Amino acid sequence: MGGTVHGVLVQAGRVDQVVLPSAPEAAVVPRQLPAAVPDFCGRDAHVAALDALRAEVERDAGGGALVVALGGSAGVGKSTLAVWWAHRVQDHFPGGTLFVNLRGYGPSAPLPPQVVLTDFLTSLGVAERRVPEGVEAQGALFRSLVAARRMLVVLDNAGSAEQVRPLLPGAAGSLALVTSRGALSELVVLEAIRRVAVNVFETVDAVRLVEGVVGRARTAAEPDAVGELVGVCAGLPLAVRVAATRVASRPFLSVADVVEEIREEQRGLIGVEGAWRGLGGVRSVFDWSYTRLDAVHARVFRLVGLHPVPEFGVHAVAALAALDLRSATRVLEELAEQHLVEPVARRRYRVHDLLHDYAAYRADLDETPAAREEAVTRLAEWYAGVAVAADRWLFPQARSVPVPVEARGVSALVPDREQAVGWLRRERTVLSAVQRMAVERDLYPVVVALGVASRHLWSGPRAWWSEGVEAVSRGVDAAVGSGDVPAEVLLRDLKGHSHRGEGEFEAAEAEYRAVQRAAERSGNPDWHQWALSGLAILRRDQGHLEEADGFYRASWEIAVRVGDEVEEAMVLGNLSLVAAARDRFDEALDYAQRAWEWRSRNGDVLTIAYGRHQLATAWQGLGDHHTAMGLWEQVAETYTAHEDRRADLAMALEAMAGSLAATSRPDAAVDGLRRVAGILSDLGDPRAGQLLHRADELSSH
């Protein structure tokens, strides 16, 4: 075996794929903790217990990673304690700190382990396309990477043992800190974790928190009232902080006045059911704080409860509340001052899940059903509008769908291709939640638009591909339910390509045949062409080149008949590649030159690069290596500038290496093949090892 193995060596009875990096990857040390509260206080016994467990990790060099569970009721301060303590000790973990809110409790679906592991692996320096598919493979790679370093992993707001177990490091020296309202009993039994119970504040600690927020002078002036304030808040840190913040912002009120107002709210509670059972104290504090907001702030706060996940950008809130961006920003900043929302990044906020639940409760109480539906519809259509705009940056030549509404702020959020890619990836899980929300409300155009815009997922890790299939499938169902046949056909075509990409050829053919049947029923030539092109590329992937050629020819004839110059050029380019694969290089060059007539006028750099690649392939087959290399150099320059076109770059460089070798430049060919092997290794392509072997053979001659 050629190449060098870096890092952890694993012995296996069977190896189906070996990926050899061309050079050691630079160590990535993630530090992902959110900001800790500046006025953290109390919890001395809890901190001492956690410190003792950390010391145990350092002493036990032969055991596995230590798992610690912080358990307690909602609002008791588990997350605050976990984040503060993790900041305090993370320097003892030189391998890095990983953090995730698992959303185990809240309105949105809990984050599945596969989504979390994908993000963890990329944070540890694994190239996106090298992230394996499936939780078991991802977990194995994660544990292998963590085995070589001492890491701190903070898993906040866990909902179940099944959600947590794949995310735990296995090697000695690492520590996983899990917070959860649940007992996680199964995890305790199977993983032998240590539990630290987090209860409500002791009175002295709660008073210290009030003092930190309100000030020592006001606290000292009303010690009895401060004690009563802690009592009406039931000792829950979240409630104490909200109440103390309101006191601090109203210097004309005494603490005793605030206590009486909260007690009035408590007397007005008939009973607390459902998720609020046992949390009457915190509910009364929230009620009291909410009722003292002015109308605009109260409305924005309660509408935030309708957002499907507890983290959001200012633009989304502006759409939700039908406000301009400046007004939405001002309101959110003022709500943050009252500790009702929390800033996490520029123009981005999150809300505690209890406050999120409470905001949704107030929306149900204070908004009419029609107003709630209007707000949710505005939000869903806004997300769909931005997603479609971003999708058009990534796939300017691809078929798309109408935008449900023109989303405000698009030019600021996705002004170019790079920003579009970033927005789609940052909002990936939000878009999935929005699409599910739209399904529940029969917002068919939104479901369809988000299904189409999910195609960017196939340029990411394979772990994302199943998310894409789900999104496209929901889009197909929505299109069928609304009778939108054009949308159904487009989404089935996309679904066929997604199945083909995963090697599910039968499922792919079923979708292409469904498109073909729709074309026959309607007589729509475009749909017939899509079906034929889909079947052609499927047959090409299956190695049935003669059938592929037949399907492409039939597709080309339709494009010529209807005068579709764009589709004609695309099909001619594909015919060129099939002809080259059949060693018919004169025919391949003719097709490529005819396609180039349109591609050269198009102006899109990627479209031009595809055309040059097809021309170079034909010229190489005809023996004109100098012309081919000149074209491939331009192609490589274009693909290098686009991160999501690395597979195309590898294909161009590999082909160019053949011409370099044929023109007596073996050293350059070897360098090219090794570069290709490195790219394919990053992409998780099993051919990386084969190319390294070819490079070694060539260099030895």
Side-chain angles (χ1 to χ4, degrees):
M1 181 185 299
T4 305
V5 177
H6 303 276
V8 180
L9 178 65
V10 180
Q11 179 175 322
R14 174 181 173 186
V15 178
D16 295 307
Q17 174 179 331
V18 177
V19 179
L20 298 176
S22 56
E25 294 183 0
V28 176
V29 181
R31 296 294 184 193
Q32 297 183 338
L33 292 174
V37 295
D39 53 359
F40 180 85
C41 65
R43 303 299 189 194
D44 294 340
H46 299 86
V47 171
L50 291 171
D51 284 344
L53 290 170
R54 183 195 60 76
E56 184 178 320
V57 170
E58 293 185 348
R59 289 194 304 270
D60 188 6
L66 185 64
V67 183
V68 180
L70 294 179
S73 62
V76 82
K78 302 180 297 297
S79 300
T80 299
L81 171 61
V83 171
W84 183 88
W85 183 80
H87 274 287
R88 182 171 179 264
V89 302
Q90 67 177 341
D91 288 345
H92 293 273
F93 297 91
T97 311
L98 297 172
F99 174 88
V100 63
N101 179 354
L102 293 173
R103 301 177 188 168
Y105 297 88
S108 61
L111 286 182
Q114 187 168 332
V115 172
V116 180
L117 283 168
T118 300
D119 293 339
F120 276 2
L121 290 171
T122 55
S123 297
L124 292 171
V126 178
E128 284 185 346
R129 296 299 292 271
R130 287 186 60 198
V131 175
E133 193 173 9
V135 172
E136 290 187 7
Q138 291 174 349
L141 178 57
F142 172 65
R143 290 188 294 275
S144 296
L145 292 173
V146 176
R149 53 174 93 190
R150 296 181 57 225
M151 296 201 67
L152 176 62
V153 181
V154 182
L155 306 173
D156 189 30
N157 197 14
S160 65
E162 291 74 17
Q163 192 184 21
V164 169
R165 192 177 297 112
L167 311 178
L168 299 176
S174 292
L175 187 149
L177 185 61
V178 185
T179 75
S180 178
R181 299 184 200 175
L184 302 180
S185 301
E186 185 181 352
L187 192 66
V188 173
V189 172
L190 296 178
E191 303 293 340
I193 67 176
R194 308 297 183 85
R195 300 184 66 173
V196 176
V198 183
N199 301 311
V200 298
F201 262 159
E202 297 289 340
T203 300
V204 64
D205 291 334
V207 169
R208 286 173 58 192
L209 176 57
V210 175
E211 182 180 281
V213 176
V214 174
R216 183 172 299 177
R218 292 183 70 184
T219 305
E222 297 182 82
D224 293 339
V226 169
E228 292 176 4
L229 179 67
V230 169
V232 298
C233 293
L236 284 169
L238 177 61
V240 172
R241 183 177 296 280
V242 170
T245 300
R246 176 62 66 173
V247 172
S249 65
R250 297 293 187 273
F252 49 84
L253 287 178
S254 68
V255 178
D257 290 336
V258 171
V259 171
E260 180 57 30
E261 290 177 356
I262 295 175
R263 282 180 172 157
E264 288 179 6
E265 294 291 344
Q266 288 180 332
R267 286 191 286 269
L269 290 177
I270 304 302
V272 181
E273 300 297 331
W276 293 97
R277 185 181 297 276
L279 293 172
V282 70
R283 243 289 301 279
S284 62
V285 172
F286 289 172
D287 281 342
W288 166 78
S289 185
Y290 170 79
T291 56
R292 278 147 186 82
L293 296 173
D294 65 39
V296 173
H297 291 72
R299 178 173 176 270
V300 171
F301 173 73
R302 64 179 175 259
L303 290 181
V304 160
L306 302 179
H307 193 276
V309 300
E311 185 173 314
F312 39 80
V314 174
H315 292 80
V317 173
L320 182 64
L323 293 173
D324 61 81
L325 187 62
R326 179 176 296 180
S327 297
T329 301
R330 184 175 63 252
V331 171
L332 286 170
E333 287 176 349
E334 291 168 359
L335 289 173
E337 290 177 1
Q338 300 299 321
H339 284 285
L340 295 175
V341 300
E342 176 188 0
V344 294
R346 183 174 182 267
R347 291 185 168 180
R348 197 163 185 85
Y349 296 81
R350 65 170 165 239
V351 60
H352 190 282
D353 56 347
L354 264 187
L355 281 165
H356 198 204
D357 289 346
Y358 178 75
Y361 157 76
R362 295 306 313 203
D364 285 342
L365 195 65
D366 300 339
E367 296 282 344
T368 66
R372 290 196 301 271
E373 288 305 306
E374 287 173 6
V376 169
T377 299
R378 282 195 304 269
L379 179 72
E381 289 180 341
W382 179 83
Y383 271 115
V386 182
V388 170
D391 175 78
R392 287 174 179 167
W393 274 111
L394 272 66
F395 307 102
Q397 304 295 332
R399 299 176 289 272
S400 189
V401 293
V403 183
V405 293
E406 189 61 37
R408 291 182 295 174
V410 171
S411 59
L413 285 173
V414 289
D416 54 38
R417 191 177 191 278
E418 182 180 357
Q419 295 294 324
V421 171
W423 187 88
L424 285 168
R425 294 188 172 191
R426 183 172 60 253
E427 303 289 359
R428 191 180 93 244
T429 58
V430 178
L431 293 175
S432 178
V434 169
Q435 192 192 37
R436 290 194 297 271
M437 182 177 70
V439 169
E440 294 170 359
R441 289 166 169 79
D442 294 336
L443 298 175
Y444 293 131
V446 169
V447 181
V448 166
L450 292 177
V452 173
S454 71
R455 58 185 154 196
H456 77 95
L457 294 169
W458 282 279
S459 66
R462 287 188 67 92
W464 292 2
W465 292 9
S466 60
E467 297 177 40
V469 173
E470 291 174 4
V472 170
S473 298
R474 286 192 287 264
V476 170
D477 292 342
V480 172
S482 62
D484 188 345
V485 178
E488 178 191 350
V489 170
L490 172 56
L491 285 158
R492 287 197 183 280
D493 188 49
L494 290 176
K495 194 174 179 182
H497 290 316
S498 68
H499 284 309
R500 180 183 56 80
E502 295 196 76
E504 299 169 353
F505 295 144
E506 288 186 11
E509 179 149 359
E511 297 298 336
Y512 295 140
R513 293 297 184 185
V515 173
Q516 189 175 42
R517 289 192 295 273
E520 291 169 352
R521 289 193 300 270
S522 66
N524 188 308
D526 291 337
W527 300 352
H528 195 192
Q529 195 175 27
W530 300 355
L532 291 169
S533 291
L535 291 167
I537 195 170
L538 177 63
R539 293 293 183 263
R540 194 175 77 184
D541 286 356
Q542 292 173 312
H544 306 316
L545 298 178
E546 186 173 351
E547 284 187 72
D549 181 82
F551 281 127
Y552 275 134
R553 286 179 183 277
S555 177
W556 173 68
E557 289 173 359
I558 295 174
V560 172
R561 186 172 70 248
V562 301
D564 188 340
E565 189 179 24
V566 175
E567 197 67 30
E568 182 182 352
M570 293 176 65
V571 176
L572 285 170
N574 284 317
L575 279 167
S576 174
L577 294 176
V578 171
R582 301 174 74 190
D583 294 332
R584 299 181 178 183
F585 294 110
D586 285 320
E587 189 177 322
L589 180 60
D590 178 59
Y591 284 136
Q593 287 175 332
R594 290 159 67 185
W596 180 251
E597 292 177 10
W598 173 80
R599 289 183 183 275
S600 61
R601 302 193 310 268
N602 175 264
D604 178 68
V605 292
L606 290 174
T607 297
I608 291 172
Y610 301 150
R612 285 176 173 149
H613 180 86
Q614 292 155 5
L615 287 167
T617 301
W619 282 118
Q620 183 187 54
L622 292 170
D624 189 341
H625 295 289
H626 292 290
T627 299
M629 285 190 294
L631 289 165
W632 270 318
E633 285 174 359
Q634 297 176 74
V635 170
E637 183 179 354
T638 299
Y639 289 154
T640 300
H642 292 79
E643 178 66 22
D644 58 342
R645 288 293 182 267
R646 300 189 72 206
D648 294 326
L649 173 62
M651 184 168 55
L653 292 174
E654 181 183 358
M656 187 162 62
S659 287
L660 288 168
T663 53
S664 302
R665 298 171 61 187
D667 292 342
V670 167
D671 290 342
L673 288 173
R674 286 177 175 160
R675 183 183 175 191
V676 173
I679 295 171
L680 294 182
S681 177
D682 285 344
L683 298 178
D685 192 317
R687 293 181 58 249
Q690 298 173 21
L691 289 199
L692 279 178
H693 182 66
R694 279 177 54 190
D696 290 342
E697 283 188 334
L698 188 59
S699 63
S700 65
H701 291 160

